[in-house]
Amino acid sequence: RASLFDDLPSACYLVGRAATEHFVLPCLETALVDGQDQVIARALGCLASLVDMGLLSRSILIRPTLKRQSENEHKKIRLGLFEKYCPLLLFPSVAVRHSAIKFVNSTSSAFGSTDSIVFLVPILRPYLRFEPLHEYLISPEGITRCLLPPWSKQKLLVEMRKVTKQPIISPTGIQWTSIDKEGEQKGEGAIELSLSTEESTTSDPEPKQNMLDYLGMLSRNRLNAFDTGKGEVVEKLDGAIEGTLKLSQNVKFPKQSKSSLSEKTIPEWFSTAREVARENGDQITEFSALQSVGALTQVYGLSLVDATRQGGVATSPEDQAIDRFQLSVTEVKERLQARAAKEVEAASQGQWGSEATLDAALKDTTLLVGKLKALSVPPLSPRLGAVMEWQGRLQQVSGMGEWRPRMDALIATTPPSGEHTAPVSRLAVSHDQRFLVSGSFDSTCRIWELRDIENSSGILKSSSVYSMHSEGSRINDVAVVEQSHSLVSGASDGRVHVWRVDMTSSKRVPPNTNSVQNTPGISKVSGSSQIRAVDVSEGEILSVAHYNSLSASLVTFATQRGIVHSWDLRSEKEPFALKHQPELGYLTSSALGSDRNWLVTGTSRGFLAMWDIRFRKMVKLWRMSDPRPINRLATSYATTPSAIRTNSGPRPLLFVANGNECGMFDVSDGSCQQNFRVLAPMESRGLSTSKMALPSLKEVNISTTQRIGRILRQERMSPLDDDDKFAATGPKIHTMVGSMGGIDHNYLITAGSDAHIRYWDFANPARCYTVSGHIGTYQRPTFERVDFQSSTRLMLCRQNDGPRLKELESSRVPRRLQRGLTRPDSRHQDGILDLKLIQRPKALISASRDGSVKIWK
């Protein structure tokens, strides 16, 4: 509210004097009796600026002096702004007094010397120690020298309680009772006060009539005029709105941290009301069902504070009972179609005359709903399923340590039939390592429990299936909602689903223990439930992600049209949308920075765009030196091996998988720190200079006045190059996982179109090997390291093309291949699309185009 008045004079300059006096002044006068000193000070400063700009006429500033016959006639006289708000010269706040002096200076300068002495000085005389000259009125120092001492805060509080006819509480908590002139004791409604000797000797001036008028307006916002502090209601103030202004200015919002938001969730009946309102169109919204303060606090998680009580405003028994029952769809429809709902909707939207027909009991709720909408405060988060807790703490998963996968050590795999019937595109693991979710092109997401992997017979069986996506669609991406058991899935039908994995837990005593006191609950998947779904009608959903910021729980998803949308799970609004130019190609991957402030997107033309989420702006645009499609992106904030040797700090890193290589780049300067490249057998025989070069990011100079296509032509980059021209002859890398930050244990695991899983050590090629995919009749691949200047490295994997069995003489066939029937090959039969690391047990999970999910130890 205070910030509004900094820029308000500029708007008034455009609309002129008449509009300012008719429409802006009521807003200003409301702020001049606000409950916060900062708002009053800014409003007075704005008023002074309007006087300096000549946007207020003299008739508005002062009114002709009339003889007042009685107090009743005095109330009917409309005072000018100068006379009405001069009492602020004695206000306890220094900022308010300074702004009031500025207002007097501006008015005196506008009136001139003669008129100031004639019209302004008589109004100011009750607040001055001596008669001032005109020179004193136009300078802050001069008025400050003339003013009486300001009131103390205690004096202001006492006088406001007098005006509102409330009993006065002393600082020590003693209830004072006054004695009138005739010696008769007055009751609790008395407005006189007999102060102690110490209090009566203070220099606070007695309030004048103008001051009493202002205190009457101010007390409506700073005191609860209807509560004595003992729960008793006293006489109401004439013209006061019953409690609404006081209630609306004492709202405490819940903390936006992850732990606080997970404590309370939105009630089920409000979610039902939202669905019903969406079906009925835009005539009425779900907020019309909020017809009580108690219901409002449950939906938003607010605390409504009463100045005279400890804690919040007590709600009615009906409000407190809302949590104890659920409204059916029929009951929600009846509530939304009722007349009260339509009146609340009209009043919250500010329709003219709607408050006049509104029930008095709904005024508090309506005012709060309007303010929450204006501030864009989202409701509470839906029930996402919190991660399991043990002894009051969220279960923390330890790191992978020195673990690394063994060669061909398959723990479990999905059966040939009965599970996914199409390629498995993505994997997602819950934060508490309870379950794994796989998304497939068969339009389903399957849930796999991880607790019995080591003791299984080697066959994975899903515990539940989520099949709410349209039949025939492909699941392109799956992501876990942070600190919950919910997931986000995006499909080729253009819809994004947020759904929850329902868990049941029970205490069970392990065989070697005799007590369940310190034993965590054993959870089990019981099903899945859809929470929300959104359709933006922009083609396929190519990638999805979720993160919690300081003020929102955001889902981001990229569409086929090149737009990255955001979706706050607690509201229906879109916080931001990032649009790519079509010349860059279609989006293929995205990754969020570790600090949640920046986002990197990759395209099919080899472009990388870096976005600042806070300002919704593209800040960097690069193109890969070999502009093949970007298959996968990942970010990290860690210290590189070269930085460890030079005692440098951690850096923001970006891993880019395109073609047959995966590069690690420093986001701050775009330099390549290390690269991992797989060479096909034909490429391994003779390496050209280009095969030994490091990839680079060429920065494109972006401008707000030029289109991307024109910039690309200036940079001599053809946005219409055929992607087949850059098709890698070697295997393509589709996914990668890894670990960084240690001294001797930095590794990267990649997988791609050749169905191979490769383990890369950042420093030692002797520690690199193939986890899965090697064919026994072929020679083992060899790994090499090429060092460049500036401590950058290139790690190479040379695939050796060995002879086929039919090409060998029978005498030269190895004896191990003459053993007859052997165990079937455990490797994937088609390209691998995703990898994930799990820590309970420590294992590697892979998903392939052959429709299988495998777990490697």
Side-chain angles (χ1 to χ4, degrees):
R1 299 195 301 278
S3 300
L4 167 68
F5 301 103
D6 292 338
D7 300 321
L8 197 57
S10 301
C12 296
Y13 176 78
L14 296 177
V15 301
R17 174 186 288 185
T20 299
E21 293 180 351
H22 282 83
F23 302 108
V24 179
L25 274 185
C27 177
L28 268 173
E29 293 202 64
T30 302
L32 289 172
V33 291
D34 194 90
Q36 301 294 329
D37 294 348
Q38 183 182 11
V39 179
I40 298 177
R42 298 281 185 90
L44 278 172
C46 177
L47 198 61
S49 299
L50 295 180
V51 174
D52 292 335
M53 298 166 65
L55 295 178
L56 297 179
S57 60
R58 288 195 176 192
S59 59
I60 294 294
L61 293 173
I62 60 173
R63 299 287 181 179
T65 304
L66 300 177
K67 185 177 181 180
R68 296 163 181 165
Q69 300 297 332
S70 64
E71 289 298 324
N72 294 331
E73 291 184 7
H74 164 69
K75 291 183 180 180
K76 297 179 181 179
I77 297 176
R78 184 178 179 184
L79 303 179
L81 295 178
F82 191 83
E83 186 176 8
K84 189 184 297 185
Y85 300 111
C86 270
L88 291 172
L89 291 169
L90 303 182
F91 204 81
S93 171
V94 177
V96 173
R97 292 201 308 273
H98 178 76
S99 298
I101 291 173
K102 183 179 178 181
F103 172 56
V104 173
N105 293 152
S106 300
T107 307
S108 300
S109 300
F111 274 55
S113 176
T114 303
D115 289 347
S116 296
I117 298 299
V118 174
F119 295 105
L120 302 184
V121 170
I123 299 175
L124 293 172
R125 191 173 289 123
Y127 314 104
L128 304 178
R129 294 189 294 123
F130 57 86
E131 196 84 9
L133 301 176
H134 181 258
E135 291 75 11
Y136 282 46
L137 297 178
I138 60 176
S139 65
E141 296 79 6
I143 296 183
T144 304
R145 190 179 306 172
C146 302
L147 286 177
L148 291 169
W151 280 14
S152 63
K153 292 183 179 180
Q154 180 64 23
K155 176 70 174 179
L156 179 66
L157 179 63
V158 167
E159 296 299 336
M160 283 194 298
R161 290 189 178 276
K162 285 183 181 181
V163 172
T164 57
K165 300 181 180 180
Q166 289 193 23
I168 300 171
I169 310 287
S170 72
T172 58
I174 302 175
Q175 179 67 47
W176 292 87
T177 304
S178 62
I179 305 296
D180 64 359
K181 295 181 181 179
E182 298 180 0
E184 297 180 358
Q185 184 174 347
K186 297 188 177 182
E188 291 188 352
I191 61 173
E192 299 292 337
L193 178 66
S194 176
L195 298 175
S196 63
T197 305
E198 179 181 356
E199 186 71 15
S200 61
T201 57
T202 60
S203 60
D204 291 338
E206 289 299 320
K208 305 301 179 182
Q209 186 59 51
N210 290 348
M211 176 67 83
L212 295 177
D213 294 340
Y214 177 77
L215 291 177
M217 297 182 293
L218 183 66
S219 61
R220 302 180 189 180
N221 293 341
R222 300 216 172 189
L223 293 178
N224 190 336
F226 316 113
D227 201 326
T228 64
K230 298 180 179 180
E232 301 175 0
V233 177
V234 298
E235 182 181 354
K236 297 180 181 179
L237 191 66
D238 293 336
I241 301 176
E242 192 167 345
T244 53
L245 287 176
K246 178 61 183 176
L247 191 60
S248 66
Q249 292 178 357
N250 286 267
V251 176
K252 290 188 177 181
F253 301 95
K255 293 182 179 180
Q256 305 299 307
S257 59
K258 292 177 287 187
S259 59
S260 298
L261 293 178
S262 61
E263 293 177 357
K264 295 182 179 180
T265 58
I266 199 168
E268 293 292 338
W269 61 267
F270 187 76
S271 300
T272 305
R274 176 177 288 165
E275 297 175 0
V276 173
R278 189 183 296 111
E279 295 175 356
N280 295 336
D282 299 332
Q283 296 181 355
I284 199 166
T285 64
E286 63 273 15
F287 299 100
S288 301
L290 303 177
Q291 300 176 13
S292 63
V293 176
L296 192 65
T297 57
Q298 293 171 13
V299 172
Y300 284 93
L302 307 178
S303 298
L304 306 180
V305 180
D306 188 351
T308 61
R309 293 189 179 97
Q310 297 293 330
V313 174
T315 57
S316 63
E318 292 78 7
D319 296 337
Q320 297 174 357
I322 289 181
D323 267 341
R324 296 195 292 267
F325 71 94
Q326 296 294 332
L327 296 177
S328 63
V329 177
T330 304
E331 292 172 334
V332 169
K333 289 183 178 180
E334 292 177 354
R335 176 169 291 193
L336 291 179
Q337 293 174 356
R339 181 178 178 180
K342 297 179 181 179
E343 293 177 351
V344 171
E345 181 73 17
S348 62
Q349 293 180 358
Q351 295 184 12
W352 185 265
S354 58
E355 291 189 5
T357 61
L358 188 66
D359 188 355
L362 299 177
K363 287 185 178 180
D364 286 340
T365 305
T366 305
L367 185 63
L368 283 172
V369 170
K371 177 165 290 190
L372 293 172
K373 286 184 176 181
L375 296 175
S376 299
V377 178
L380 291 174
S381 175
R383 188 170 66 89
L384 300 173
V387 295
M388 301 300 294
E389 296 186 1
W390 182 31
Q391 295 181 346
R393 303 187 305 271
L394 294 179
Q395 292 188 5
Q396 302 294 330
V397 181
S398 59
M400 300 298 289
E402 298 296 327
W403 175 89
R404 61 179 182 174
R406 305 174 187 174
M407 291 194 307
D408 294 321
L410 182 65
I411 301 177
T413 182
T414 55
S417 61
E419 298 296 344
H420 286 301
T421 58
V424 181
S425 57
R426 287 294 185 270
L427 300 172
V429 182
S430 67
H431 289 272
D432 56 0
Q433 305 286 297
R434 298 282 177 167
F435 58 85
L436 163 75
V437 175
S438 59
S440 172
F441 284 2
D442 60 4
S443 70
T444 65
C445 295
R446 291 188 175 269
I447 307 165
W448 318 77
E449 295 190 60
L450 299 178
R451 57 190 176 91
D452 295 329
I453 289 180
E454 289 184 321
N455 300 326
S456 66
S457 60
I459 301 298
L460 289 177
K461 293 184 179 180
S462 59
S463 302
S464 182
V465 180
Y466 178 78
S467 56
M468 297 299 292
H469 283 280
S470 58
E471 186 177 357
S473 61
R474 303 183 305 275
I475 307 298
N476 291 329
D477 201 1
V478 179
V480 175
V481 177
E482 290 186 351
Q483 300 299 326
S484 73
H485 282 164
S486 295
L487 294 102
V488 185
S489 55
S492 60
D493 59 357
R495 295 177 64 85
V496 178
H497 286 207
V498 178
W499 50 282
R500 180 180 63 251
V501 176
D502 297 322
M503 307 286 292
T504 58
S505 60
S506 61
K507 292 268 187 175
R508 187 172 66 186
V509 181
N512 299 328
T513 60
N514 296 323
S515 175
V516 299
Q517 182 177 0
N518 296 323
T519 304
I522 299 175
S523 62
K524 185 177 180 180
V525 175
S526 60
S528 59
S529 305
Q530 180 178 334
I531 299 176
R532 292 185 191 174
V534 62
D535 185 2
V536 293
S537 302
E538 294 181 3
E540 294 192 22
I541 305 298
L542 302 177
S543 65
V544 297
H546 175 270
Y547 69 97
N548 287 320
S549 67
L550 294 178
S551 59
S553 178
L554 291 178
V555 173
T556 61
F557 55 95
T559 66
Q560 197 172 5
R561 291 188 183 178
I563 302 178
V564 178
H565 293 275
S566 60
W567 178 22
D568 191 344
L569 290 181
R570 297 177 296 156
S571 64
E572 298 294 332
K573 295 184 178 180
E574 183 178 57
F576 62 86
L578 312 176
K579 186 175 182 180
H580 294 71
Q581 297 292 339
E583 293 87 352
L584 301 179
Y586 62 85
L587 293 176
T588 57
S589 183
S590 63
L592 187 70
S594 56
D595 59 356
R596 315 301 175 87
N597 291 329
W598 53 279
L599 177 76
V600 178
T601 56
T603 71
S604 60
R605 305 288 182 189
F607 285 96
L608 294 171
M610 181 178 177
W611 301 82
D612 192 323
I613 299 178
R614 298 166 297 179
F615 302 99
R616 286 76 162 152
K617 184 178 181 181
M618 182 190 296
V619 294
K620 289 284 186 180
L621 180 63
W622 298 287
R623 197 180 198 191
M624 296 290 296
S625 55
D626 193 0
R628 289 171 285 187
I630 306 297
N631 297 327
R632 189 64 66 90
L633 295 172
T635 61
S636 178
Y637 186 76
T639 305
T640 62
S642 59
I644 293 177
R645 294 191 298 270
T646 58
N647 295 325
S648 300
R651 309 288 294 174
L653 302 175
L654 175 65
F655 291 82
V656 182
N658 71 319
N660 63 334
E661 61 186 2
C662 178
M664 181 179 70
F665 298 89
D666 189 338
V667 175
S668 58
D669 56 11
S671 62
C672 181
Q673 300 295 313
Q674 194 154 345
N675 191 61
F676 307 87
R677 185 177 297 161
V678 181
L679 301 178
M682 295 183 61
E683 295 178 309
S684 300
R685 295 173 184 174
L687 291 178
S688 61
T689 305
S690 61
K691 300 299 181 183
M692 299 293 292
L694 286 172
S696 61
L697 297 180
K698 184 175 182 180
E699 185 173 353
V700 180
N701 184 21
I702 58 178
S703 173
T704 58
T705 60
Q706 294 176 315
R707 288 182 59 83
I708 297 294
R710 185 180 304 172
I711 297 174
L712 298 181
R713 288 191 292 271
Q714 293 176 354
E715 298 286 345
R716 296 182 180 180
M717 297 179 181
S718 175
L720 301 178
D721 284 333
D722 188 1
D723 291 339
D724 294 336
K725 177 180 177 181
F726 303 101
T729 56
K732 296 181 180 179
I733 296 178
H734 289 156
T735 180
M736 65 280 190
V737 294
S739 176
M740 287 194 63
I743 299 177
D744 298 326
H745 198 67
N746 298 303
Y747 64 86
L748 185 73
I749 304 175
T750 63
S753 60
D754 60 350
H756 282 59
I757 302 176
R758 296 177 177 88
Y759 178 92
W760 305 79
D761 189 271
F762 273 68
N764 190 354
R767 297 181 181 177
C768 302
Y769 57 92
T770 300
V771 177
S772 173
H774 177 69
I775 302 177
T777 58
Y778 284 67
Q779 298 180 16
R780 289 283 180 181
T782 58
F783 293 84
E784 301 177 7
R785 188 182 87 180
V786 181
D787 293 331
F788 295 87
Q789 295 179 353
S790 303
S791 302
T792 58
R793 296 169 179 169
L794 172 63
M795 305 294 291
L796 292 175
C797 175
R798 295 174 181 264
Q799 292 292 113
N800 297 315
D801 191 5
R804 304 283 183 176
L805 282 178
K806 63 181 181 180
E807 299 174 357
L808 295 176
E809 298 178 7
S810 59
S811 60
R812 296 188 178 183
V813 176
R815 294 182 61 86
R816 62 186 179 86
L817 298 180
Q818 302 177 11
R819 295 177 296 179
L821 295 176
T822 58
R823 181 180 178 181
D825 197 350
S826 60
R827 68 187 185 93
H828 285 285
Q829 302 303 314
D830 205 341
I832 299 174
L833 300 180
D834 202 10
L835 295 173
K836 282 293 183 291
L837 292 173
I838 60 173
Q839 299 165 334
R840 290 179 180 174
K842 293 182 179 180
L844 173 69
I845 306 178
S846 58
S848 171
R849 291 185 61 87
D850 59 11
S852 64
V853 177
K854 297 181 182 291
I855 301 181
W856 310 87
K857 188 174 183 179

